[in-house]
Amino acid sequence: MTVFDAIKENLTTRQIIANEGFYISCNGMMKCPFHDDHHPSLNVKERFKCFACGEYGDGINFVAKLYGLSLLNAAKKIADSFNLSYDNNNGIRPTKIVKKVKSDRVVFAEKKRDLLSALSALVSTIALAEREYTPSDSEDATWHPFYIGAMHRKDYVLYLYDYVLFEISTAELEKEMDELTQEVEKLGRKLDAVRGGHKEYA
Ligand SMILES: [Zn+2]
């Protein structure tokens, strides 16, 4: 709640003026502090108005005028003297805080980077399989499942890598991103499985 709202909801003009030490008669008249008033000529109702000098306004206007304060500082002074709580935000209604969201462009760039880095990891894994697990030329050499799995997927992985890196348009990649990411993750899991010597490769 702004300081202005806090005052409006909790205090009358009469309360605010009386709080400044002015005597207000039961018919709402008081001596005007804004001109040299000898007979009460200032009337206090919902607002105050001086019939002699013409000053008028609400309780905040009264205090502002009395002390030469801005309306905001006058309002704060009033609220503080009545111990009213309010949002200390300079009286400006808090604007809805807009959570800063990543732009679609940034999200896309991050996804593309992740996808390429996952593909690049697959390429490295396959290169490792080729380097470390290529069976010997002898006829009874055993083929390691990792090597088989890697070779089985090598062309596909290289194709995907080229595809994402060079061939696909941004608009197409936006559409296919999730599918491609899932595909690459699946390939990664399969290669991990055969690398561990399990039989999950297919
Ligand atoms: Zn006056």
Side-chain angles (χ1 to χ4, degrees):
M1 180 185 291
T2 70
V3 66
F4 296 109
D5 290 338
I7 290 169
K8 202 172 168 184
E9 285 190 13
N10 291 287
L11 301 173
T12 64
T13 299
R14 189 185 177 103
Q15 283 176 307
I16 293 168
I17 292 174
N19 186 56
E20 295 300 331
F22 293 95
Y23 170 74
I24 304 167
S25 71
C26 56
N27 62 359
M29 298 305 290
M30 61 175 269
K31 281 187 183 176
C32 175
F34 306 122
H35 79 277
D36 187 17
D37 199 7
H38 297 287
H39 301 286
S41 47
L42 190 147
N43 179 249
V44 183
K45 284 181 180 161
E46 282 178 33
R47 297 165 74 83
F48 74 89
K49 180 170 175 60
C50 176
F51 297 113
C53 72
E55 283 293 340
Y56 71 98
D58 61 13
I60 298 168
N61 294 131
F62 187 95
V63 170
K65 178 88 182 162
L66 192 65
Y67 294 102
L69 298 172
S70 68
L71 290 178
L72 176 60
N73 285 334
K76 284 182 172 174
K77 179 176 163 61
I78 295 163
D80 291 345
S81 77
F82 281 95
N83 283 319
L84 296 183
S85 59
Y86 56 91
D87 296 328
N88 196 1
N89 57 7
N90 290 331
I92 300 158
R93 281 178 194 283
T95 48
K96 212 172 172 186
I97 293 165
V98 180
K99 218 173 165 185
K100 192 167 164 49
V101 288
K102 284 180 186 172
S103 72
D104 289 350
R105 210 163 49 85
V106 171
V107 171
F108 175 78
E110 287 178 355
K111 280 186 177 176
K112 183 176 181 181
R113 189 196 58 208
D114 290 348
L115 179 60
L116 282 171
S117 113
L119 273 167
S120 163
L122 282 181
V123 172
S124 303
T125 303
I126 289 167
L128 174 79
E130 217 170 354
R131 197 168 62 237
E132 305 285 337
Y133 292 88
T134 300
S136 65
D137 288 337
S138 68
E139 288 203 5
D140 58 348
T142 51
W143 287 34
H144 194 283
F146 182 32
Y147 176 79
I148 299 168
M151 290 309 105
H152 186 57
R153 294 176 180 85
K154 181 180 175 181
D155 286 349
Y156 183 45
V157 168
L158 290 176
Y159 158 76
L160 284 177
Y161 197 38
D162 272 6
Y163 181 64
V164 173
L165 202 52
F166 301 116
E167 287 177 25
I168 194 169
S169 70
T170 298
E172 283 171 328
L173 184 55
E174 272 172 355
K175 274 186 241 160
E176 296 179 27
M177 181 73 83
D178 290 344
E179 206 181 324
L180 283 165
T181 301
Q182 282 168 19
E183 184 68 8
V184 169
E185 283 170 358
K186 199 168 80 186
L187 285 164
R189 281 196 300 275
K190 295 228 163 150
L191 282 179
D192 281 348
V194 290
R195 191 176 180 178
H198 302 299
K199 296 287 183 189
E200 290 172 33
Y201 66 95

